[in-house]
Each structure stands twice: as C-alpha cells, then as structure tokens.
Amino acid sequence: FLKTEKTEFQHIDELIRRIALSSFDISFILKHNGKIVRQYRAAQTQAQIEKRLSAICSESFVKSALHFESNDNHLKISGWMSDRLSPRALSDVQYCYINGRMIRDKLVNHAIKQVYAYALPEGKFPGYVIYLECDPNQVDVNVHPSKHEVRFHEARWVHDFIVSALTETLSQAPLNQSLLNM
C-alpha cells in the first residue's frame, strides 16, 4: 500500500517535524539518498527554540505568532498561535501535543475553531503549536489505534479552558491600526 517514494518521504518528513516540535532538547537529522535534508539542533534557549520553530513552521509564522501560557490546577496550556492579522492559506501549521504526545483531537480542534471563528476570513486557517499538560489519569490515549485521538475525562472543562486561554491571548494582541483602516 505504499505510495510513490516522494509521497512516502513527505510523510516521514512531516513526522520528523512533529517529533522535533515535541522535543526541543533533542537533535534530529533526516537524510534521504545519503544527503542531509533536515537538521534540527537541540534547543535550550528561547532564541534556539524560536529558530527551530521557524525552521519547521516558517519564519513568517514565528514573527506574527503570539506566545502564550496558562494553567489551572489540573491543566496547563502553552505554545504559539497566529494573530488575527496573519491567517494562513493552508492548514499546514497546526500542531498539538498532550503530555508530549502528538494528537489530532476533535475536542481540541473544535475549541481552536471556536476561538478563531470570527477572527479569520472564510477559507483562511490559523497556525498554532499547542502543548497541553495534564495528569495522565485525566486523559485516555487508547481511544484510537493510531493514538492520535484522546478522550479527556472532563472534556467540557478542557474545551472551555482551551477556548478561554486562547481567546484571552488573541484579545490581548495589539491590532495594527493601518490594517484596520483599509
């Protein structure tokens, strides 16, 4: 069931990107046909982290991204998200992690869509790299064979927490007045 070599390599490249975003303290080198295609050096400082983020997500994303951190007693959220003036034509920069594990979860995606519902034009997408941390007993990671979907024991509360944290970040971002007057 393999696709073309190019397609399969693109899947591997994306997987390395996702793993590199979850583990800034580890270096990664991706080689193809004996050539180094990607090299992500270990990052300890904020500047190094932003350099890796820029290499994976794009320099334009990092320049316009809003960094955020918020926590409650049982859940912590942090990462970067697009401001409302920097929508993306593709949904190519959308990464989410729970306790270091890559996820593509319907609940989390719904919360993010709700935050950007009135902030982005039709057909445009937000970019984000989001890290959630919680007690492992509060999330079931065995919902789907791929392990990308999870089930939160307090799903509504998690959804509302994500919406609240991201909405607050987006609302505190300064608006460029010259763009508003167009």
Side-chain angles (χ1 to χ4, degrees):
F1 298 114
L2 294 176
K3 306 285 184 198
T4 66
E5 182 178 333
K6 179 181 177 185
T7 302
E8 293 301 324
F9 180 76
Q10 288 172 334
H11 291 304
I12 292 167
D13 187 24
E14 181 61 22
L15 181 62
I16 295 298
R17 289 170 185 253
R18 289 183 171 277
I19 295 171
L21 283 172
S22 72
S23 304
F24 285 98
D25 57 330
I26 299 172
S27 293
F28 295 90
I29 297 175
L30 176 61
K31 293 182 180 180
H32 183 59
N33 294 330
K35 295 179 184 175
I36 294 176
V37 178
R38 303 264 185 252
Q39 185 169 8
Y40 305 118
R41 300 187 192 287
Q44 282 90 31
T45 67
Q46 190 62 31
Q48 292 170 333
I49 289 171
E50 288 178 10
K51 185 174 180 179
R52 180 181 284 193
L53 191 63
S54 191
I56 295 170
C57 299
S58 84
E59 211 170 297
S60 64
F61 171 75
V62 174
K63 284 182 180 177
S64 65
L66 308 169
H67 184 265
F68 62 91
E69 283 187 39
S70 183
N71 60 53
D72 199 338
N73 294 336
H74 306 290
L75 185 63
K76 178 182 178 186
I77 186 170
S78 62
W80 297 267
M81 61 189 278
S82 299
D83 64 13
R84 57 176 76 85
L85 301 175
S86 305
R88 301 186 65 81
L90 302 171
S91 61
D92 57 342
V93 178
Q94 296 186 341
Y95 300 99
C96 192
Y97 303 86
I98 179 120
N99 296 338
R101 175 192 296 265
M102 300 178 287
I103 64 169
R104 287 189 198 107
D105 186 70
K106 292 175 187 171
L107 174 98
V108 174
N109 288 344
H110 182 269
I112 295 166
K113 283 181 184 175
Q114 187 174 334
V115 170
Y116 283 100
Y118 301 105
L120 297 181
E122 184 79 24
K124 296 293 184 177
F125 302 91
Y128 56 82
V129 179
I130 297 175
Y131 303 96
L132 296 164
E133 293 177 33
C134 70
D135 180 344
N137 295 322
Q138 295 300 311
V139 63
D140 182 2
V141 296
N142 293 314
V143 175
H144 190 273
S146 71
K147 308 293 187 210
H148 286 265
E149 292 180 30
V150 297
R151 183 172 297 125
F152 294 96
H153 295 294
E154 296 182 49
R156 187 72 209 169
W157 177 79
V158 171
H159 179 278
D160 293 347
F161 178 76
I162 293 169
V163 169
S164 174
L166 298 184
T167 300
E168 183 178 338
T169 301
L170 205 55
S171 68
Q172 291 178 359
L175 287 174
N176 185 334
Q177 291 301 319
S178 63
L179 290 175
L180 289 176
N181 296 329
M182 293 175 96

